[in-house]
């Protein structure tokens, strides 16, 4: 969740907005560009996901501040893996997990694409129910991440994948768009593999797009 144009220090803390740790503020590492998704965007996302969260296995591939993965844990996810490339940001995530007593959350410092190339055995669970992809903007990371998720056995049946990308970019192809929301510079999309896909397909969620 890095790579926007915000200066270091603007997001000195991140707030969990729902669940067991609601209203808890957590420190953010002073890494350039690091910042969470906007509260309104996260609130919408977790309204979409709430029926699926209890007991779910969650993968947050560009964890950054931990806003998405820790929010999922707060709201009942059974296990959460936070993957973060920056050593400083990963160390802060570890400290925040200790502060919360978040035993269901694991932090893995490293490159998301490299992890995906190793297969799901490198991450723990056989497959994930929910995956968050909120990488640095303008790096071209979303397409290769989705490709490796699709063909690598990472997704459980009925899995949901949330992508946050720059507004104005085309939506990922070959995925079903269940929900979407544009807020400011960010375009959030909730995706699933089509039911006739070779991967873990899913029927369209009720309610249409936000």
């Amino acid at each position: 969740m890095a790579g926007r144009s915000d200066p270091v220090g603007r997001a000195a803390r991140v707030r969990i907005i729902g669940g067991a740790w609601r209203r808890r503020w957590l420190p953010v590492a002073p890494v350039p560009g690091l910042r969470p998704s906007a509260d309104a965007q996260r609130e919408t996302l977790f309204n979409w996901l709430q029926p699926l969260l209890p007991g779910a296995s969650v993968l947050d591939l560009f964890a950054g501040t931990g806003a998405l993965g820790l929010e999922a844990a707060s709201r009942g996810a059974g296990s959460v893996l936070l993957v973060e490339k920056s050593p400083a940001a990963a160390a802060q995530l570890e400290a925040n997990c200790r502060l919360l007593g978040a035993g269901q959350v694991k932090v893995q410092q490293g490159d998301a694409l490299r992890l995906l190339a190793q297969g799901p055995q490198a991450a723990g669970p056989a497959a994930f129910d929910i995956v968050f992809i909120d990488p640095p903007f303008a790096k071209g990371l979303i397409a290769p991440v989705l490709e490796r998720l699709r063909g690598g056995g990472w997704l459980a049946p009925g899995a949901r994948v949330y992508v946050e990308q720059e507004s104005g970019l085309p939506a990922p192809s070959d995925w079903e768009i269940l929900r979407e929301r544009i807020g400011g510079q960010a375009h959030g999309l909730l995706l699933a593999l089509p039911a006739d896909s070779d991967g873990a397909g899913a029927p369209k969620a009720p309610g249409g797009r936000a």
Side-chain angles (χ1 to χ4, degrees):
M1 236 179 279
R4 278 75 160 178
S5 60
D6 303 271
V8 179
R10 178 172 177 178
R13 298 187 300 166
V14 62
R15 181 171 68 97
I16 295 176
I17 56 179
W21 304 320
R22 183 181 180 187
R23 298 178 182 169
R24 291 288 298 271
W25 288 92
L26 299 170
V28 171
V31 175
L34 201 66
R35 51 151 283 181
S37 300
D39 280 6
Q41 194 89 354
R42 277 191 289 147
E43 187 68 56
T44 297
L45 168 62
F46 283 95
N47 286 340
W48 296 342
L49 292 176
Q50 192 56 54
L52 307 174
L53 278 169
S57 57
V58 175
L59 175 61
D60 188 351
L61 283 168
F62 300 90
T65 65
L68 295 181
L70 292 175
E71 188 77 37
S74 179
R75 294 175 183 244
S79 66
V80 178
L81 176 61
L82 305 176
V83 180
E84 172 51 45
K85 187 174 183 178
S86 163
Q92 185 63 68
L93 291 172
E94 292 271 17
N96 288 347
C97 288
R98 290 192 295 271
L99 181 65
L100 293 170
Q104 74 275 48
V105 182
K106 177 183 175 183
V107 178
Q108 187 161 335
Q109 191 271 316
D111 182 79
L113 279 171
R114 194 167 299 167
L115 173 70
L116 292 176
Q118 297 173 27
Q121 68 278 359
F128 289 89
D129 302 304
I130 297 169
V131 180
F132 297 127
I133 306 171
D134 183 11
F137 282 175
K139 299 291 186 181
L141 291 167
I142 290 173
V145 167
L146 286 174
E147 182 180 358
R148 293 187 184 187
L149 282 176
R150 184 185 185 105
W154 287 89
L155 302 179
R160 300 293 191 263
V161 176
Y162 174 72
V163 169
E164 191 163 310
Q165 63 182 29
E166 300 101 310
S167 299
L169 289 182
S173 60
D174 300 324
W175 291 75
E176 185 174 4
I177 300 174
L178 304 178
R179 305 271 194 160
E180 61 183 315
R181 183 184 190 277
I182 298 176
Q185 299 178 2
H187 183 187
L189 301 108
L190 187 64
L191 308 176
L193 287 173
D196 59 354
S197 168
D198 292 336
K204 188 168 183 177
R209 300 177 186 178

